[in-house]
Amino acid sequence: MGSMAAPPPPPPCQCHLVCVPYPGRGHVNAMLNLCRLLAAARDGVSATVVVTEEWLGLLTAGGPAPLPRAVRLAAIPNVIPSEHGRAADWAGFVEAVYTKMEAPFVRLLDGLQAQGGAPAAIVADTFVPWAVRVGNRRRIPVCVLSPLSAAMFSVQYHFHRLPQAAGGSASPPLDGADIADGVGPCLIENYIPGLKSIRLADLEPSHSNKAALNSILEAYVEVRKAQCVIFTSFYEIESDAIDSLRQELPCPVFSVGPCIPFMALQEHNANTEKESYMAWLDAQPVNSVLYVSLGSFLSVSPAQLDEIAYGLAQSKVRFMWVLRDACSRVEGLIQGSDGMVVPWSDQLKVLCHPSVGGFLTHCGMNSMLEALYAGVPMLTLPIVLDQPINSRLIVDVWKVGYSLKEKVRADSVIGRDEIAEAVKKLMMNSGDAEGVRRRASLLEEASRTTAEEGGSSYRDIMAFIDFISPSKR
């Protein structure tokens, strides 16, 4: 019997999306990476990503991952506080996003519709709730993109099920005590199916802040009115949470991750130009460098920053630390150590470098997905929002890292000795670090195969395109 011919490629579709990310770096990057994946998946899929004028400037100032021709940027005026310093008034920033962006977006949408008709769908970040209302008023399907893990989405979507959370007006007990006889520790899986090892205490501090919690829950009122939900995560790492959500949500659920710029990484590997830090990495032994990046928003306190610097120097481990602010101060603290501090790096490219053997991370979703893709074990230092739950997934569910959070002192700072000890444990393969590294390699393989033809994310990307294509409706 002769070999069967390969199936023909799917026909091109004329499918234009208007996409609205929440104006924060992790959210914008997640949306852009989703658009890259969709545009690469099928001819005829295009996207207009709507950002503020400030964000348009940041994105067009040059960067490691240029957008494909099918993805373009459009800007609304700067009706919200600047990206620089928004952490100083997080509640005020969220309120501005919720109340001031809708009107200019509607005007821009009017212009786009006048040029080319209604889009096939609006893809909106979970935390741009007004976009769901706009789409429903105009009878344009709205797809909610969750740049959080499926586990975190499930916690927030089902928050009313947690103890003392009636109406979303009060926080659950966060002291780790038993809830009732026979129930055991404060595990969220006692109340929300599909979640393992996550504790009520992991919701601190954002979910015990009434104003922050109400803003979060307000967004999920609109999520319930969307036509589908998309996750930047992928099925192999969150199958229980995704299966549970598929049973409970009133709309389709697509997991299309990892939504990271891996296609751009392949293109840049062909580029002979090298940044100075890449030349430094080239000179280091395999798996010898700890990469350190604690995010660009709501970072650690100055006291904690100092302890990290002293701890890294004390560990005698090679490290590369990305630090946008306080570079000169930290450089003074790490003198004599085998490390370097840089203001910026192409993170995925660095994590995939053979010399990088560990990642000290704040556990932002994009950073976590990039570390999994690179097969790099993690040392977690979560701060707020979804980061403690991501840390729990890394350490207790996937077992690809260690947590520093449990070593915090009464003054809310983790000391240099504890940091140095944890760094050495991760990087020098002491204890069970060899098993951690082996499991990280398995998740690296899963991260890569899921996006290949036939993989779960590939199938969900194709199913999503079919779902929103005008010809299919």
Side-chain angles (χ1 to χ4, degrees):
M1 226 174 123
S3 60
M4 292 178 65
C13 62
Q14 294 307 312
C15 178
H16 181 243
L17 306 171
V18 174
C19 304
V20 199
Y22 176 89
R25 187 165 296 279
H27 299 254
V28 171
N29 286 343
M31 186 69 79
L32 292 176
N33 288 325
L34 171 69
C35 292
R36 287 186 181 98
L37 292 172
L38 293 173
R42 192 174 298 177
D43 288 343
V45 177
S46 61
T48 299
V49 182
V50 180
V51 294
T52 62
E53 288 174 349
E54 180 184 32
W55 265 106
L56 181 65
L58 291 170
L59 293 169
T60 54
L67 293 171
R69 225 175 310 175
V71 180
R72 70 186 189 98
L73 301 171
I76 61 171
N78 292 324
V79 292
I80 57 174
S82 172
E83 169 68 8
H84 304 289
R86 68 186 171 97
D89 181 15
W90 182 72
F93 185 86
V94 172
E95 183 185 3
V97 171
Y98 279 26
T99 60
K100 295 183 178 178
M101 288 179 64
E102 179 177 354
F105 172 80
V106 167
R107 289 193 291 272
L108 187 144
L109 186 61
D110 286 340
L112 291 174
Q113 289 193 240
Q115 293 169 20
I122 294 172
V123 181
D125 190 289
T126 306
F127 300 104
V128 188
W130 47 261
V132 181
R133 297 191 293 269
V134 170
N136 287 344
R137 281 199 305 265
R138 296 184 176 221
R139 302 193 176 181
I140 300 171
V142 183
C143 309
V144 166
L145 174 68
S146 173
L148 310 178
S149 66
M152 185 79 252
F153 178 97
S154 189
V155 168
Q156 294 178 341
Y157 187 91
H158 297 111
F159 196 82
H160 57 282
R161 296 184 183 176
L162 298 179
Q164 298 181 23
S169 59
S171 61
L174 299 171
D175 58 2
D178 286 357
I179 304 262
D181 291 342
V183 176
C186 289
L187 291 173
I188 289 179
E189 64 185 310
N190 292 325
Y191 308 96
I192 302 171
L195 306 178
K196 296 197 186 312
S197 300
I198 298 168
R199 295 158 171 73
L200 290 171
D202 295 330
L203 298 181
E204 283 279 25
S206 53
H207 290 65
S208 57
N209 176 307
K210 186 174 180 180
L213 177 61
N214 286 342
S215 292
I216 290 167
L217 298 183
E218 182 184 338
Y220 283 85
V221 172
E222 300 302 327
V223 167
R224 287 169 164 79
K225 303 169 188 173
Q227 278 67 58
C228 74
V229 173
I230 311 164
F231 288 110
T232 62
S233 185
F234 58 101
Y235 184 77
E236 285 74 9
I237 57 172
E238 295 202 85
S239 57
D240 289 341
I242 291 169
D243 283 342
S244 177
L245 287 166
R246 282 178 170 155
Q247 288 179 0
E248 295 201 35
L249 264 59
C251 64
V253 170
F254 303 98
S255 58
V256 302
C259 279
I260 57 174
F262 58 83
M263 288 182 292
L265 175 75
Q266 292 154 8
E267 292 162 15
H268 285 294
N269 279 344
N271 192 335
T272 54
E273 231 177 279
K274 274 200 174 170
E275 302 85 350
S276 59
Y277 60 80
M278 292 302 292
W280 181 82
L281 288 173
D282 288 344
Q284 310 309 316
V286 171
N287 286 342
S288 68
V289 176
L290 177 72
Y291 176 67
V292 183
S293 177
L294 299 171
S296 58
F297 177 61
L298 294 174
S299 198
V300 297
S301 67
Q304 185 64 79
L305 197 72
D306 289 356
E307 291 301 307
I308 293 169
Y310 286 126
L312 289 172
Q314 194 173 306
S315 74
K316 306 296 184 189
V317 165
R318 295 174 178 86
F319 63 90
M320 175 182 153
W321 190 350
V322 177
L323 196 61
R324 288 177 177 84
D325 303 310
C327 264
S328 57
R329 178 159 156 252
V330 165
E331 282 171 343
L333 300 178
I334 61 168
Q335 277 183 352
S337 66
D338 198 357
M340 71 182 305
V341 181
V342 296
W344 179 87
S345 79
D346 184 342
Q347 181 164 285
L348 184 57
K349 190 174 180 181
V350 169
L351 286 170
C352 289
H353 194 284
S355 71
V356 173
F359 183 13
L360 173 52
T361 174
H362 67 306
C363 306
M365 184 64 179
N366 293 345
S367 289
M368 180 173 74
L369 290 174
E370 290 185 356
L372 294 177
Y373 183 87
V376 173
M378 288 167 265
L379 191 56
T380 69
L381 184 56
I383 303 165
V384 290
L385 302 169
D386 61 324
Q387 297 164 13
I389 283 184
N390 291 344
S391 174
R392 189 70 66 186
L393 294 172
I394 291 163
V395 177
D396 291 348
V397 179
W398 307 326
K399 301 185 189 313
V400 292
Y402 303 113
S403 171
L404 283 170
K405 193 181 178 189
E406 285 72 21
K407 303 177 187 298
V408 68
R409 302 183 310 221
D411 62 356
S412 301
V413 172
I414 300 160
R416 63 194 72 176
D417 293 344
E418 289 75 19
I419 291 168
E421 181 187 351
V423 166
K424 287 189 283 189
K425 181 180 179 184
L426 182 73
M427 298 301 293
M428 296 180 181
N429 275 348
S430 58
D432 63 350
E434 193 177 326
V436 166
R437 208 164 285 282
R438 186 173 62 252
R439 286 186 290 274
S441 292
L442 291 173
L443 289 187
E444 173 188 1
E445 185 180 348
S447 296
R448 295 173 186 237
T449 56
T450 191
E452 293 172 359
E453 189 168 350
S456 65
S457 289
Y458 176 89
R459 294 195 305 270
D460 269 18
I461 286 171
M462 291 303 185
F464 169 72
I465 293 171
D466 286 342
F467 177 74
I468 48 96
S469 292
S471 59
K472 302 286 181 178
R473 295 207 298 272

